[in-house]
């Protein structure tokens, strides 16, 4: 019953079904998990003779009169009188003629709304009504749902109420608890069924809070348990060969480190120790390395590749785009120039059939993420590094296993992720963080530019370009909230490009790059920019981050208010990569107080993690990653800022795993399976 399709709901039109499906509601279960965004309190039921102006109340009585009226400015009204034995109150709706047929005199009606007074006459401004006694739309705390695709709260309420009633008849559903008794007791959780009942139709505020607690616990617990189970599965797997980092290898590693053109930062050192420790175990590494742009993740990954090489194994390094793969290839070639380590580059244009012959004698092969889905067969892959991809999860690992390899895997990202988010969404991975920048790196100077100073800003940039020979990024505003870049933003960026070229910087060379270009074309423009064929690159925000153009020291971000702070930080990360001072200018098209407070915080904060944490508090996680990064879902009812509940559910999941077998808890098992399917479909 809980998995019944919504098509089996009575009295539900095809259009409604279609709309529900479009917002992801396919089954009764989905419906129950469509939670209210807020509640209205209509629980005060008042006799008509006790009404007080300004109160929000529910009145229940009989319709005595109904008529059609037109206001002075021509709006059509439906006016009624409602009588309850203590008095009469007037009700008026606008433009809802069908109410005249619905509320015939004598109809028993409950209405919730705001009491108004004209002279000594009371009227009620109706917010909700229902025929009969108060039950689900009036006379209590009433749920208000996110009203998408023209689906009204009233309709959603009706359907959910129906489903909850069905559950009541069907005792087995939600009747068997998900958890062992002591997990419920220890975490002071109410039972699941009352939780669902009260999240939609709360008896009172206390019951509502308890329901929220229970459901938030469930949500996080399922995530944590899923991770814990994956972790456990991985723990029993073994790699082909355990790397040795002792004796002669230790000596070689040290020599390599000593010959680097720089000294490792303490943070790099610490992370390298963590990675090295993993690499010398038989259990495959599943580590997630987080570090600001420019914090030096590549060299740490290179050390891992070197250790693999010393042990006779090959490494794969994968980047999201071809141009980044080339960049890595160059960096590694440099790092290993005095060593016998052979490095190969696998680009999209090369034939797959040549892959083996070209790369089988390489110790490190660099390519794009597509490498993973290729039918490659290298001799001995021992270590895989994946740059800038968050979700290298269960599905990808399984794919590798199908190919018969079970390597150590290191994923890396420059995306700032708040600690609580990492603990929740990457719970199955071990986390390493590089949290300091190499010394001597100059932080980017960031300014919020008022409208009046735009022109002066352009002139300043012009001088910098002419006098210092530096380059500039101009990032055009983020337009659609949709996932893919729309034609609209391409049009906008093209227009801005034409404008800048003709009117603002006519004597300079401008390039244009946006998401609708083919990836070859994009790479060409980026490469030309790198080769200084352009002074200024006009770009849309979705264009790949990570590209290294040390000579680009200036960035303008248009419409800065539209971004989350973490997103802004990622954009800013494209400059400040050389030893020259870099400058970032924020232009806004809307600068109310909140916007400028937020952006001012950005101008004085250079740490991505702090910015991400601020975002999480101000805008919620959906906003942090927004268009820039996919694969992050928002929580439905729990919160990423709730560190204590995240910790609590994590230890509850540990406890469960250590004391119980999932098979004994079919409800929970089903929930986990569902979660895994969601995860994989997101990958
Ligand atoms: P990211 O973490 O963004 O991938 P990279 O690994 O590309 O950063 O490193 C950025 C730059 O910093 C490179 O030019 C690299 O050679 C340099 N670098 C890395 N580690 C150090 C260090 N400890 N001291 C100085 N420069 C370093
Ligand atoms: Mg990098």
């Amino acid at each position: 019953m809980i998995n019944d399709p919504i098509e089996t709901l009575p009295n539900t039109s095809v259009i409604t079904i279609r709309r529900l499906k479009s917002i992801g509601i396919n089954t009764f279960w989905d419906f129950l998990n469509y939670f209210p965004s807020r509640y209205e309190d209509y629980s005060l039921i008042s006799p008509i003779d006790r009404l007080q102006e300004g109160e929000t109340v529910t009145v229940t009585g009989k319709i005595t009169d109904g008529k059609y009226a037109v206001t002075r400015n021509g709006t059509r009204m439906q006016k009624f009188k409602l009588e309850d034995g203590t008095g009469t109150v007037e009700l008026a709706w606008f433009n809802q003629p069908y109410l005249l047929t619905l509320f015939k005199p004598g109809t028993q009606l409950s209405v919730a709304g705001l009491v108004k007074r004209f002279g000594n006459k009371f009227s009620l401004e109706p917010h909700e009504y229902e025929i009969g006694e108060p039950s689900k739309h009036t006379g209590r705390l009433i749920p208000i749902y996110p009203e998408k695709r023209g689906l009204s709260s009233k309709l959603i309420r009706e359907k959910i109420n129906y489903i909850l009633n069905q559950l009541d008849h069907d005792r087995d559903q939600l009747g068997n608890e998900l958890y062992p008794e002591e997990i419920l007791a220890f975490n002071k959780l109410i039972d699941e069924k009352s939780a669902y009942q009260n999240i939609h139709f709360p008896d009172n505020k206390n019951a509502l809070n308890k329901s929220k607690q229970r459901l938030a616990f469930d949500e996080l617990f399922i995530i944590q348990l899923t991770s814990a189970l994956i972790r456990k599965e991985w723990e029993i797997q073994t790699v082909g060969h355990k790397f040795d980092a002792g004796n002669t290898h230790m000596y070689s590693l040290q020599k390599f480190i000593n010959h680097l053109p720089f000294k490792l930062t303490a943070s790099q050192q610490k992370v390298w120790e963590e990675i090295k420790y993993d690499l010398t175990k038989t259990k495959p590494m599943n580590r997630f390395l987080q570090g600001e742009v420019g914090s030096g993740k590549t060299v740490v990954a290179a050390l891992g590749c070197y250790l693999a090489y010393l042990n006779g194994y090959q490494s794969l390094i994968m980047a999201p785009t071809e141009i980044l793969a080339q960049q890595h290839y160059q960096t590694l070639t440099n790092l290993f120039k005095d060593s016998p380590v052979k490095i190969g580059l696998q680009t999209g244009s090369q034939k797959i059939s040549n892959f083996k012959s070209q790369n089988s004698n390489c110790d490190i092969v660099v390519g794009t993420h597509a490498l993973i889905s290729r039918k490659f067969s290298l001799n001995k892959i021992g270590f895989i590094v994946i740059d800038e991809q968050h979700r290298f999860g269960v599905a990808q690992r399984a794919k590798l296993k199908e190919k018969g390899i079970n390597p150590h895997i290191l994923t890396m990202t420059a995306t700032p992720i708040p600690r609580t988010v990492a603990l929740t969404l990457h719970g199955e991975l071990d986390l390493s963080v590089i949290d300091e920048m190499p010394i001597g790196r100059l932080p980017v100077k960031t300014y919020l530019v008022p409208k009046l100073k735009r022109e002066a800003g352009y002139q300043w940039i012009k001088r910098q370009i002419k006098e210092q020979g530096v380059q500039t990024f101009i990032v055009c505003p983020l337009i659609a909230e949709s996932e893919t870049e729309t034609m609209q933003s391409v049009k906008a960026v093209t227009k801005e490009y034409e404008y800048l070229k003709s009117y603002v910087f006519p004597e300079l060379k401008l390039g244009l790059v946006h998401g609708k270009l083919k990836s070859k074309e994009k790479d060409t423009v980026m490469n030309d920019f790198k080769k200084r064929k352009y002074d200024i690159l006009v770009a849309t925000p979705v264009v790949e981050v990570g590209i290294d153009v040390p000579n680009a020291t200036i960035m303008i971000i248009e419409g800065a208010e539209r971004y989350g702070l973490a997103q802004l930080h990622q954009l800013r990360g494209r400059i400040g990569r050389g030893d020259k001072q870099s400058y970032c200018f924020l232009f806004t098209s809307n600068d109310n107080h909140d916007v400028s407070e937020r952006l001012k915080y950005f101008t004085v904060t250079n740490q991505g993690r702090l910015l991400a944490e601020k975002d999480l508090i101000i805008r919620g996680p959906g906003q942090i990653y927004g268009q820039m990064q996919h694969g992050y879902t928002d929580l439905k009812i729990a919160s990423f800022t709730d560190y204590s509940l995240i910790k609590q559910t994590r230890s509850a999941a540990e406890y469960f795993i250590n004391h119980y077998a999932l098979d004994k808890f079919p409800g929970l098992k089903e929930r986990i399976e569902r979660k895994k399917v969601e995860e994989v479909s997101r990958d």
Side-chain angles (χ1 to χ4, degrees), residues 181-191 210 213-214 217 648:
E181 199 49 52
E182 75 265 28
I183 289 191
L184 289 179
F186 184 79
N187 294 287
K188 302 193 176 62
L189 301 174
I190 62 166
D191 70 281
K210 291 253 181 243
Q213 269 168 29
R214 164 70 207 244
F217 185 96
Q648 192 182 335

Side-chain angles (χ1 to χ4, degrees), residues 430-487:
D430 294 310
L431 192 63
S432 284
V433 181
I434 299 185
D435 54 9
E436 77 187 301
M437 294 298 253
I439 41 166
R441 201 70 57 79
L442 291 167
V444 176
K445 287 192 175 157
T446 305
Y447 302 93
L448 179 55
V449 184
K451 274 199 181 69
L452 286 172
K453 298 232 169 123
R454 175 184 283 267
E455 203 39 53
Y458 283 148
Q459 294 311 322
W460 184 86
I461 289 172
K462 217 181 267 182
R463 275 201 306 280
Q464 293 287 310
I465 293 176
K466 281 186 180 156
E467 289 165 14
Q468 316 264 341
V470 297
Q471 290 164 285
T472 297
F473 284 106
I474 298 183
V475 183
C476 284
L478 192 64
I479 290 189
E481 286 284 70
S482 69
E483 294 241 316
T484 50
E485 181 170 285
T486 58
M487 279 318 288

Side-chain angles (χ1 to χ4, degrees), residues 260-266 268 289-301 327-328 331 335 387-388 412-414 434 436-441 546 548 550 573 577:
L260 286 173
F262 43 75
K263 190 171 174 307
L264 292 181
T265 62
Q268 285 171 315
L289 169 57
Q290 212 192 324
E292 298 270 318
V293 167
S295 62
K297 295 183 291 294
T298 318
V299 64
V300 176
Q327 202 169 286
H328 274 312
T331 308
L335 283 172
D387 198 17
E388 290 307 335
M412 311 197 289
T413 186
I434 299 185
E436 77 187 301
M437 294 298 253
I439 41 166
R441 201 70 57 79
D548 213 359
R577 294 180 152 221

Side-chain angles (χ1 to χ4, degrees), residues 623-634:
Q623 296 297 323
I624 304 186
Y625 306 110
Q627 268 193 314
M628 310 273 292
Q629 308 287 349
H630 309 308
Y632 276 110
T633 40
D634 221 328

